[in-house]
Amino acid sequence: MEIEDLPGIGPSTAEKLKEEGYLSVEAIAAASIGDLKDVGIGEAAALKLIKAAQKSADIGFVTGLDVKERRKSVGKITTCSEELNNLIGGGVETQAITEVFGDFGSGKTQIAHQLAVTVQMPEKKGGLGGSALYIDTENTFRPDRIENMAIALDLDPEKILKNIHVARAYNSDHQMLLAEKASEMAKEKNIRFVAVDSLTSHFRAEYSGRGTLATRQQKLNRHMHALQRKLADLHNIAVLVTNQVMANPAMMFGDPTTPIGGHIVGHTSTFRLRLRKSKGNKRIARLIDSPNFPEGECVFEVTGEGIRD
Ligand code: GTP
Ligand code: MG
């Protein structure tokens, strides 16, 4: 639920509230009448608003058993590399955002393509029997690549392509809108995998000046939360976002590159995979900051048939 959906809030009030930092229903639920008066809302209206927000905001607790029950419906999609699957606990999970970051050519787009194919396989073969949605920001979605991957798995390439819904995002606002649209389509099209490739390229290009960093991070944060709540959680979808790395000259030891979007993206994704190029087709994947798996590394290969051990 957005603050616009609360009773008695018109577009101009919503705008005012957002300007003052009330971005969510929860923020209004936690506000005092005095806080809202400062924004220019009358006392009676403020009281009504806070009550309505508290009613609709999901404030409360569930039991550990409820959480366990919900975790039972988590699905996993095979990457077609046993090693890579094992690293992330069996495959790319639904109800979560998996972030794949690394240099150009490290295999991020290849993994996204592979999952758009494998999600369509039946569960006993490592899929979810669902369809895929691909938000393409860099115009790197390649149907012929999908066909090759499908044929290699004995799947009908035309059928597979038919069940991948592709949208080209032209700028960051458009990209955010597409995520909303995806949520509306999810049920009807039985979408179980969503790729945002790449998550950050538009944001990086549009907000490059010094003074724009805060705005960029705020928008990225909103985008990530929409992906988590309106896709991953609401429709039991596996969301995969790709992210480039940039040189970080301040880093004197260890890895001199950091993923774009920094801690905002990092903290909102459940799984983070760092990819590095190795010899030839080989790639090294490293799992970082996972909630319940040990950090570790594995090697996989990008072949003509797709991702393999
Ligand atoms: P950026 O989007 O540029 O940041 O890179 P990325 O991480 O998305 O790279 P991508 O997944 O597009 O990987 C490209 C690499 O995959 C190429 O350099 C090739 O090494 C490999 N690749 C792509 N297609 C094929 C193929 O058909 N056969 C083989 N063997 N390798 C391929
Ligand atoms: Mg790419």
Side-chain angles (χ1 to χ4, degrees):
M1 195 165 181
E2 305 285 338
I3 61 174
E4 283 89 347
D5 303 325
L6 289 169
I9 289 202
S12 71
T13 312
E15 197 53 41
K16 255 193 300 189
L17 283 164
K18 281 183 182 166
E19 269 168 24
E20 296 296 323
Y22 296 95
L23 300 176
S24 63
V25 175
E26 285 82 2
I28 293 175
S32 71
I33 295 178
D35 292 338
L36 296 191
K37 268 167 92 178
D38 290 343
V39 186
I41 297 174
E43 194 166 317
L47 180 65
K48 233 170 92 184
L49 201 57
I50 292 167
K51 283 238 164 93
Q54 286 177 349
K55 221 170 137 187
S56 53
D58 202 358
I59 306 171
F61 296 90
V62 295
T63 67
L65 205 60
D66 294 331
V67 178
K68 186 178 171 191
E69 205 48 45
R70 181 161 165 69
R71 290 279 312 163
K72 273 191 194 155
S73 59
V74 168
K76 291 174 197 234
I77 310 170
T78 179
T79 61
C80 284
S81 156
E82 209 56 45
E83 294 264 333
L84 188 53
N85 287 348
N86 288 340
L87 185 68
I88 52 179
V92 175
E93 275 192 8
T94 65
Q95 295 176 28
I97 299 179
T98 301
E99 177 196 357
V100 179
F101 67 96
D103 283 321
F104 65 91
S106 58
K108 305 181 292 291
T109 297
Q110 296 302 312
I111 290 183
H113 276 60
Q114 184 67 71
L115 291 159
V117 174
T118 52
V119 69
Q120 300 185 43
M121 299 197 298
E123 268 182 51
K124 59 177 189 300
K125 294 215 163 147
L128 296 174
S131 55
L133 191 140
Y134 206 106
I135 299 178
D136 184 8
T137 73
E138 300 178 311
N139 201 15
T140 51
F141 179 80
R142 291 289 174 274
D144 43 337
R145 195 69 184 114
I146 296 287
E147 286 176 327
N148 290 340
M149 290 175 170
I151 291 166
L153 292 170
D154 255 338
L155 301 165
D156 176 358
E158 198 170 323
K159 243 187 178 163
I160 295 294
L161 278 174
K162 246 187 169 161
N163 285 320
I164 304 177
H165 305 276
V166 186
R168 177 85 198 277
Y170 292 100
N171 54 52
S172 64
D173 286 316
H174 187 210
Q175 180 179 334
M176 290 167 79
L177 218 57
L178 287 170
E180 304 282 335
K181 179 83 196 153
S183 174
E184 290 167 25
M185 284 168 61
K187 199 162 176 196
E188 187 199 329
K189 306 275 186 200
N190 188 24
I191 289 163
R192 301 301 304 280
F193 173 69
V194 171
V196 185
D197 183 21
S198 112
L199 174 78
T200 44
S201 58
H202 283 315
F203 289 91
R204 182 192 203 183
E206 290 163 32
Y207 302 94
S208 54
R210 259 181 178 278
T212 60
L213 187 68
T215 318
R216 181 182 89 183
Q217 293 304 79
Q218 211 178 59
K219 278 185 78 176
L220 254 177
N221 191 24
R222 251 179 43 214
H223 187 36
M224 287 294 281
H225 276 100
L227 292 172
Q228 178 70 50
R229 284 165 54 181
K230 296 186 179 169
L231 289 169
D233 289 342
L234 194 60
H235 298 289
N236 200 8
I237 287 173
V239 177
L240 183 111
V241 302
T242 71
N243 195 358
Q244 280 137 335
V245 291
M246 57 179 179
N248 181 358
M251 191 89 161
M252 296 225 278
F253 304 100
D255 191 346
T257 59
T258 40
I260 296 163
H263 67 276
I264 295 268
V265 176
H267 284 170
T268 351
S269 24
T270 317
F271 295 91
R272 311 189 75 195
L273 278 173
R274 165 102 161 96
L275 302 186
R276 283 200 314 271
K277 281 188 260 194
S278 181
K279 276 201 189 121
N281 289 338
K282 283 195 187 128
R283 302 288 188 275
I284 300 164
R286 180 169 188 84
L287 182 68
I288 297 167
D289 300 334
S290 156
N292 49 350
F293 298 108
E295 283 202 7
E297 276 191 357
C298 79
V299 180
F300 67 93
E301 227 179 299
V302 182
T303 76
E305 305 195 315
I307 306 295
R308 293 292 184 274
D309 274 323

